[in-house]
Amino acid sequence: MAEVEETGNGLQGVADTIDEWFGEITGFFVNLIFGTNVEIPLGAPFPEGTTLWDGPLVVLWAIVAAIGFTIYFGFVQFRTAPVTFEIVRGKWTTEDDPGEVTHFQALTAAVSGTVGLGNIAGVAAAVSLGGPGATFWMILAGLFGMCTKFVECTLGVKYRHIDENGIVHGGPFKYLPVAFRKLGRLPVLIITGVFAISIMLFGIIGGGMFQANQTYGAIESAGSTLDEMTGTSAFAFLGTDTSAFIFGLIFAGLVALVIIGGIRRIGSATAKIVPTMAGIYVLACLIVIAVNITNIGDAFGAIISGAFTAEGITGGVIGVIIIGVQRAAFSNEAGIGSAPIAHSAVKTRRPVSEGFNAILEPFIDTVVVCTMTALVIIFAWPADYEEAIGVGHDNPVGLTAASFETFLPGFSVVLAICVALFAFSTLITWSYYGIQAWRYLVGMSKTKDTIFRSIICVMIVIGCMVSFGNIIDFADSALFLCIFINVVGCVILAPKVKEEMKQYLADRAAGRLFEDPNELPSDTREMAILEFLQDKPYGTSFEKRRD
């Protein structure tokens, strides 16, 4: 939130009132989602009171599920790299395959959608709150999250529906009812409804307020840099609530032109520019890393040591793990259920092919780009970071900008442009995800859609005027409620994904990937998989495929 310089300003009073009100709602929601703690004591020979885990159930569930998927699928994200790269380059894709986009287009769209403020502000928030050690747990969460995304994106395609106009409808709203159908109609409606509410809330808060808040923070930092370079105070006005409000109105207006006004050319132009901005950001990171290459050993040393010695951090090592997992999930969206909506549009006859494709997304987003950001921060280590350790900072993107300024003077201006475009693209994407949930809850009509889109625009304005801490806490709560429900469904349907995986790998070995899997005789499919597993035991014994 911008520092308030004017006093007695009516707008300041309104901003403070909104922030207080939003903080009370956030406190209730955070306690509801993260209030259930689980303690797992280690016992002898460890000292009394030593625990393996002492934290929120929802975070533990996300960790256990990701590790469980990885084991169940035989570490698929690490051992099938050749398969993944074949799929990305379209080796087994034909023009006749049902769907709307190629595997490569689906991947680039997903990566450009996730590489953004989660990598810039999210990493800064993690490091400022949990120290360098939070980076270690972000990387680990990203590696295991690759398998979670493999599962959910496979399901998104497997249970998708393509209407008479060729439009694809897929994602959790298609496979969650299948997963929970044995519970009965009413429980399915309740569970899927709660999921719809949670993903809608995350779209509004994490996809709207967070993006607007940190975009303004980046612009404010860029203004400070320009003032320092010119020796003036021309941009001092950016530190006021009035400026934040005006910026929010302008930003919301631009978003409204696309999501309400239907001016798709702006959205299309942004989608084309964002990958370039992502490339500029990654290049800047690489330049800073290259300049500090002799310090990279010390930086990774700080990351590893900080992961297991967390003095001064609330919750100690467990606290750092929680921070790392939260920021990794916010960044790469593994397990939320948003990715299957986008990936379900891929052109393929084999659902698991998109699962293999989606594996790369958390790797690129979290393991590569988030690590780059963390290294830049650790190399620079601005004074603000040291002061924020254990308590966090109200403008994380500004801290990232300060880190780049140490090595690339003036880059905060470029970073502000990158952040604005990232945020704009993410807002458009999440308005789409959110409206799918909204339609599930209230039905589809032009008026209802306009109401939801108007809510997003209003929350964009509010997001520029409330504190970052309240926004990120609320977004995390909605995020992990999504993960909790979505991953339960993925666990139930995991055997279906395993069947798809076994058949795909067997048909690949037999050179039958161009054939429609539904047209292969069942005995041929089973024999191929049995022969394949005799040579390469990737998992449990074959179970007959049930269509």
Side-chain angles (χ1 to χ4, degrees), residues 57-69:
L57 172 63
V58 290
V59 179
L60 178 63
W61 169 239
I63 296 170
V64 170
I67 295 173
F69 283 140

Side-chain angles (χ1 to χ4, degrees), residues 21 46 70 92 107 172 195 210 223 242 275 345 368 370 379 442 445 456 465 500 503 506-508 512 545:
W21 170 77
F46 295 95
T70 298
W92 306 110
L107 178 65
F195 174 81
F210 174 86
T242 301
V368 177
C370 284
F379 289 145
V442 304
S445 75
I456 288 181
M465 303 177 67
E500 295 281 348
Q503 182 180 333
D507 288 346
R508 176 178 177 269
R512 285 196 298 267
R545 175 183 172 87

Side-chain angles (χ1 to χ4, degrees), residues 107-459:
L107 178 65
T108 53
V111 170
S112 65
T114 56
V115 173
L117 279 175
N119 307 90
I120 302 171
V123 174
V127 176
S128 66
L129 188 60
T135 308
F136 176 87
W137 300 110
M138 283 187 69
I139 294 171
L140 208 59
L143 291 172
F144 285 113
M146 292 164 69
C147 197
T148 302
K149 190 153 281 194
F150 166 78
V151 177
E152 62 177 346
C153 289
T154 298
L155 293 172
V157 178
K158 182 174 177 62
Y159 294 100
R160 69 183 177 179
H161 166 67
I162 302 178
D163 64 25
E164 63 276 6
N165 298 315
I167 305 299
V168 177
H169 306 274
F173 298 111
K174 296 298 181 183
Y175 62 73
L176 286 181
V178 177
F180 297 112
R181 62 186 172 187
K182 291 184 179 179
L183 297 176
R185 180 177 174 81
L186 183 58
V188 166
L189 288 174
I190 293 173
I191 293 170
T192 312
V194 172
F195 174 81
I197 292 171
S198 63
I199 202 167
M200 183 180 68
L201 287 174
F202 183 76
I204 293 170
I205 309 301
M209 295 179 73
F210 174 86
Q211 305 296 326
N213 180 281
Q214 288 301 280
T215 300
Y216 186 72
I219 291 173
E220 190 177 355
S221 295
S224 297
T225 296
L226 291 173
D227 280 346
E228 290 177 8
M229 292 174 66
T230 58
T232 65
S233 57
F235 295 95
F237 67 91
L238 291 174
T240 67
D241 277 320
T242 301
S243 296
F245 178 71
I246 293 172
F247 171 80
L249 288 175
I250 295 171
F251 201 52
L254 291 172
V255 172
L257 286 176
V258 177
I259 67 174
I260 297 177
I263 303 179
R264 301 300 178 192
R265 283 178 293 179
I266 298 176
S268 177
T270 302
K272 293 175 182 177
I273 295 171
V274 163
T276 303
M277 294 295 99
I280 291 172
Y281 180 76
V282 169
L283 179 61
C285 289
L286 289 173
I287 291 172
V288 173
I289 292 170
V291 170
N292 292 274
I293 195 67
T294 56
N295 300 321
I296 200 163
D298 292 337
F300 275 110
I303 289 172
I304 294 171
S305 64
F308 301 98
T309 56
E311 295 89 354
I313 309 298
T314 302
V317 173
I318 299 298
V320 178
I321 294 174
I322 293 170
I323 293 165
V325 172
Q326 286 177 327
R327 298 285 62 78
F330 192 100
S331 179
N332 62 46
E333 300 177 13
I336 299 179
S338 56
I341 297 174
H343 282 276
S344 64
V346 74
K347 293 173 69 68
T348 185
R349 297 181 187 278
R350 297 173 181 269
V352 78
S353 65
E354 191 57 16
F356 284 119
N357 190 38
I359 280 175
L360 284 174
E361 194 179 324
F363 181 81
I364 295 170
D365 178 272
T366 305
V367 179
V368 177
V369 182
C370 284
T371 302
M372 287 181 174
T373 302
L375 288 173
V376 171
I377 292 168
I378 293 168
F379 289 145
W381 205 252
D384 281 356
Y385 274 106
E386 195 66 43
E387 296 169 3
I389 292 295
V391 293
H393 196 280
D394 63 353
N395 185 20
V397 74
L399 295 179
T400 302
S403 298
F404 276 104
E405 284 291 331
T406 304
F407 306 104
L408 300 172
F411 185 74
S412 61
V413 178
V414 178
L415 184 64
I417 297 171
C418 291
V419 164
L421 289 169
F422 287 149
F424 191 78
S425 176
T426 301
L427 275 162
I428 294 171
T429 300
W430 268 100
S431 70
Y432 170 74
Y433 292 157
I435 209 164
Q436 304 307 309
W438 175 260
R439 288 170 176 172
Y440 179 85
L441 292 167
V442 304
M444 181 176 175
S445 75
K446 187 174 182 180
T447 301
K448 292 174 182 177
D449 286 358
T450 300
I451 290 172
F452 176 76
R453 289 164 177 155
S454 299
I455 291 172
I456 288 181
C457 293
V458 170
M459 297 307 283

Side-chain angles (χ1 to χ4, degrees), residues 23-81:
E24 291 176 358
I25 295 176
T26 297
F28 170 78
F29 194 37
V30 168
N31 186 61
L32 180 67
I33 305 304
F34 293 106
T36 303
N37 276 26
V38 174
E39 183 177 337
I40 304 175
L42 282 174
F46 295 95
E48 185 177 352
T50 304
T51 59
L52 177 64
W53 180 263
D54 185 8
L57 172 63
V58 290
V59 179
L60 178 63
W61 169 239
I63 296 170
V64 170
I67 295 173
F69 283 140
T70 298
I71 295 171
Y72 181 70
F73 289 97
F75 295 85
V76 64
Q77 68 266 50
F78 305 122
R79 62 177 173 81
T80 58

